Each structure stands twice: as C-alpha cells, then as structure tokens.
Amino acid sequence: MKIKKLQYGFLAVLLASLTLMSQSVQAVKANLKYEEIKLPQLGETQSTAAKRVTARLTQSHYSKFALDQAFSEKVFTRYLNFLDYNHNTFLQSDVDQLRAEAANGLQQSLYSGDLALAYKAYELMTKRRYERYAYLLSLLDKEPDLTNDDQIEIDRSKMTTWPTDTAELDKLWQQRFKNDVITERLKGTKWAEIKKKLTKRYNLAILRLNQTRADDISQLFLNAFAREIDPHTSYLSPRNAKSFTEDMNLSLEGIGATLQSEDDETIIKSLVPGAPAERSKKLAKGDKIVGIGQGAKGEIEDVVGWRLDDVVDKIKGKKGTTVRLEIEPAKGGKTKIISLVRDQVRIEDNAAKLEMNQVEGQNIGVIKIPSFYIGLTDDVRKLLADAEQKKVQALVIDLRDNGGGALTEAVSLSGLFISDGPVVQVRDAYNRIRIHQDPDSTQVYQGPLLVMINRYSASASEIFAAAMQDYQRAIILGQQTFGKGTVQQSRPLNFVYDMDQSPLGFIQYTIQKFYRINGGSTQIKGVDPDITFPAIIDAEKSGESSEDNALPWDKVPAASYSVMPSKKFEIDYLAGLHQERIAKEREFIALERNLLIQKEWSNRKFLSLNLKQRQQENSEDEARRLKDLNERFKAEGKKPLKDIDDLPKDYEAPDFYIREAEKIAADYVKYLAEPVKS
C-alpha cells in the first residue's frame, strides 16, 4: 500500500541504470565494447520465483483472471513497454519477432518458470541500447546546429508502434542529443565542456548496461505480469523485499546516511540525527563516498561507477561492526578515510512529527504523517500528549504525499480521534465483508480536528480521511486523493521447508477492496475535500483513474455508526473566509498564475530544439520565478535577488498550504468560541 515506493520503486533502480548516461573524452568510440558486456543467465532461483509468483497470483488474487494466451500477450506487451518506455530503442521488426515467439505458449512458460524469452528480449534491448549510446558518442565529433526548427516529442510512451529502421531511430536520438546539448547550453556551458560531460555521461550509460543482475531481469518481467492484473500487484526481488521491510519498520542497521547517485559518484544527501554518521561529525551533506572497507583493517574497495544499491549494501551491516569510508569532502581538499561503528538506525525523517504555532492568537498543532509505518499510532499518541501539554486548541493532521502503509495503523490511528465504532470495510474475492472496528473506546483527542490531503494521499491515508469525514469528526482540506481502494497482502515466496533455498523475494498482491463506512469505495473516486485548495498537479494525469487497468468503483451496504453533529455550516463559513483570504494572498495569486502556465506546458507534445527559442522560454521562466521570489522576499523583509542563480541551492520555499490550513484551524477555534449566527 506504499504507493510511491511499491508502484514504481522496484522499476526505478533498474530503469535508472538503463538511462543514466556517461562517457569519456573520445567521442567516436565507447570505452566498453559490446562484446565485453556480460549479461546474467537465468538461474534456478529466478525460475523457482517465477513458478511461485504464477501459482500465487492465479490462485489467490482478488481478480479471478484467466492466464490464457490473450492475457499472456498483454503481459509481454507491457514487458516490452517496460524495456523501451519511449519506443525509441527497439525496431518494429524486433518487436514483431519477439511477439511471434511470445505467441507460442508464453503462459505455459510462466507456469514452468521458463523466462528464456524475457531474458532474450532483455539481451536484445541491451544490444540496441548500446548501439544508441554509441551513436550518441559519434555525434559528439561535431557541435550540433541549434538554429533550425527541429522539435523533440516529449512523451512517446503512448505509441503503439516502434521505428521501422535505423534511420528513424537515428533521427529520434539525434533529437535527444540536441536536447542534451541545449540543456547544458542553458546553464551557460561551452561546447568543449559539454562534449566532455556528455562523453562521460553516455559512456557511463554503457558501463551500467554491464551491471545488470539476473534478479533485475526476472523482477522486471514478473512485474509486467503482476501489473497487467492491477496497478498495485508486484513482485519484489530479495534485495527490494528487504528494503521494503526496513522502510515499513522505519529501522535498519547501518550508519544513518541517505545517499543518492550523481553520474558515477555516490553523494551523501542527508544524515539521520543521532545516527553514527551524524554523531561522528566527520561527514557532511554533499560529501562523496569513493571507497568502502569492512572492519578496522579491511581493504578499501573503489566504488566509483557502482550501482547505488550495491554501495548501500556495502555500507549496511550488523550493529556493532565497523565500516570505513573513503570520502571526498564537499568543501574540497584531500580524500580522507573515516571509521564508523554501525548501529540500529531509526529513520526519523519518515516518522510522524508535531509542530506547534501561534496563529492569530490560537495554539495550532500540526502532525505531519509521511506514511502509515508500523508503530505510527503509538508515536502519534505521544505527540498528542505533547500537544495537550502545550495547550493545543486545534489540530491539523497533514497527510499530503502520504502513500499509505499498514491497514492496522490506519484503523488504530482513527481510533485516537473517535470513541468507538467501525473505521473501514473490506470485501474479499468471495464477497465476504469484514468491518474493522476502533480497537478501544478511548478517544485520545477530542478537540477541533482538520485533515489535510492531496492527490498523492493514498490507501491508508484515504481510509483515515474518509472515516473522519463520514463520522463528521474532522474537516477535510486540500485536493481529491489518489483513489487507491485496494488491499495488498505481502507474502514471501520461500516456504518453511525451503531449508537450502536462496531467498526468492516477496509477492505483493491484491486480496480485498476498501469501502468507507458509508458504503462507497475509495477506489477511483478517493476522498473529496470539504474545503478545496488549488491543485498543483493535474488530477486527470495522475491517481488511480489514470491507470489503464484499475479495478472499478463500486459500493457495499453502509456500516452501522453514529454520526457526529453536522459541520456543514462551519464548513461553509470557513470555506468563505478561506476563499476571501487566498484571493488576496500573494502566494496563492502567484500559484494560480503559475498553474495556468504549467497546464499549458503539460499539454505540449513537442519541445523546440532551437537554442534561441529555448533560451527565450528559459529567460521568461526565470524572470517570472525571480519576480515571484522577490515579492516573497520583500514581504519577509529580505534583500531581493539580482539573479535567479543567486538563490541558495538549499533554499526551501515556505509551505503556504499548511500555513493556510493553520489559519482555517484558527478560524475554527474562534468560530467554536463564538459561533456565527445563521
């Protein structure tokens, strides 16, 4: 139910390894010959995983689908789209040949664990992609002409055909090359430096073609199978299954540093407060990790050019063990080697947090909940006690961008704000309905409550928001939620008797659908706010409704529950004040203006490859951003910027959405103290 991580997280590592690109100084030739690329072979572990995924999905999925030839052909088409998302790598003849082979009993291959065709398609994709990067390198011999009216198609993912010949592919990749060059020119980079940078980028892309594992290929294909059933069924390889478990428990053993990959280097993005890396005072944001050694005297292994997940695995380890890191400091200077003792790390960045603010004379509390992790309810219970000590007068629960998590936590969290009663209904594939009740009769917080949601609030977030809305316990603020009304179950593929079997990973599959206590499903429709805020994203292009195979909306009988007094008059009154305020509020005025521009951009199908036109568009965009920033800085009493490049890289814009939610909460407190007469 962790939408952002589960829906496409398992693809991100693999597809990033295919599209992150680098090169060397010689543009004509690649640093690595195609013959030197060694792709993994299908092993017994991957075959066994495929057989068990197929058995579990055909026997236990909520949708009783038939794994026939027609369905398996759809699976293979989805796999081809996973391999070549923008339809700019394969030739149509490649696709036709592969589809012809898939038409010869692919469903039986799934049952038997024979992934030979999936591996063959991946190998061909690797060959074609190598050819494409080699072609990009050849283009670096000459600075491109950026004065004509060429265009590049922004999104080719909806195409149903592929290029017919190499000449057509060359044209597409020449457009991509020009766009890469323009992107650098817009930064003010000269051709010599652009050539050097793109050479490195394209060569790194080729290098990463040689870093594929067998689990990468089988996971991609099995997820094409899983995703053809519904958008939230997925297979997690052993490595990704472990990461998912750590994320759900907000705990791991390591040094407590968040890492990111930039070109061929591993950069420290942030440090977890109180964890070994932060306690050492020897590491800082932006430092580069170039080598890793195990133990106090282990050899330092060069990790430049490694996959990020491989670097992370080298750093993680059992509590009490030592890891040594070779660091290139962000501030410059010689490399240094530091030793850290691994410890249990709680990922506090993803835990619930309380913020208290005085707003128009009222004590307003905001509890930000990034996900419904195991232990969330206990954490929020403590935060509520803290808020009570600080004399909170109204509380905002911020569920924006919360993709969900554990159903049990959604139910128990709801119980903190109601005395008793049902929270959510679930129906299984056999039409059996189960009602999940508030686990206790204690209402921990009884004061004014508001819940903030947006389009990326999903699953467990929608359960909580819907329950608060149906009980009329809270006022819901924001935008329509994602619309994920399905329940997934996560199960390991290993059996208890697999004493000598390697880890096979997890299968996460849909087993039930959610229903509000009023009977309506959250599927597709999500939860609508009582008071609407301007939407930053286009709802039509995101959320469950944008999926091509989402399960439909339906309803069941309403549960029995006691509704609290209607808040209709309060909502209308507060919504009126909200609209009056944002109509005059500088940030919301700028937002509305920028949303119109964003919508215009999102509807564009082509991007100009004329440098002057792009520079003009870029200048206009920067001027608009600079104007908005300086208006903000003026209101805050800060010195205006002369140039957009003067903005500090770590600058974070104020969250004026939550500030407006706090003002609504303050209005609510004052309304309850002296109700406005109707």
Side-chain angles (χ1 to χ4, degrees), residues 606-631:
F606 294 91
L607 193 62
S608 172
L609 293 175
N610 182 290
L611 179 59
K612 285 188 177 180
Q613 183 175 337
R614 290 281 291 278
Q615 285 174 330
Q616 181 180 346
E617 291 174 349
N618 191 61
S619 296
E620 291 172 354
D621 181 61
E622 288 187 351
R624 185 171 55 252
R625 289 175 55 209
L626 183 62
K627 180 176 180 291
D628 289 344
L629 281 168
N630 281 336
E631 286 179 357

Side-chain angles (χ1 to χ4, degrees), residues 5 24 43 78 81 149 181 208 238 331 367 500 507 544:
K5 295 206 184 275
S24 84
R78 191 172 291 268
N81 288 327
D149 295 327
V181 174
R208 289 187 173 174
K331 61 184 179 182
I367 294 181
D500 57 350
I507 182 72
E544 192 80 359

Side-chain angles (χ1 to χ4, degrees), residues 174-227:
Q174 188 175 54
Q175 292 168 352
R176 172 176 176 166
F177 169 65
K178 286 186 175 183
N179 191 56
D180 287 346
V181 174
I182 287 176
T183 300
E184 294 302 319
R185 287 291 301 271
L186 292 176
K187 300 175 185 176
T189 313
K190 301 298 184 183
W191 169 245
E193 184 61 30
I194 292 173
K195 180 176 180 178
K196 181 179 178 181
K197 185 172 184 178
L198 294 183
T199 301
K200 179 182 177 184
R201 183 186 298 175
Y202 299 150
N203 263 311
L204 180 58
I206 290 174
L207 176 64
R208 289 187 173 174
L209 293 175
N210 202 33
Q211 296 178 351
T212 303
R213 298 190 186 88
D215 279 351
D216 295 333
I217 303 173
S218 58
Q219 177 175 261
L220 198 62
F221 181 70
L222 291 175
N223 273 301
F225 174 24
R227 291 300 167 85

Side-chain angles (χ1 to χ4, degrees), residues 1-3 248 370-373 402-406 456-461:
M1 296 193 308
K2 296 270 296 175
I3 292 292
M248 284 298 292
S371 70
F372 281 76
Y373 56 88
N402 183 322
Y456 291 127
S457 303
S459 197
S461 294

Side-chain angles (χ1 to χ4, degrees), residues 35-47:
E35 295 74 21
E36 296 175 303
I37 295 178
K38 305 298 181 185
L39 289 177
Q41 300 300 307
L42 173 65
E44 183 180 346
T45 298
Q46 291 76 36
S47 179

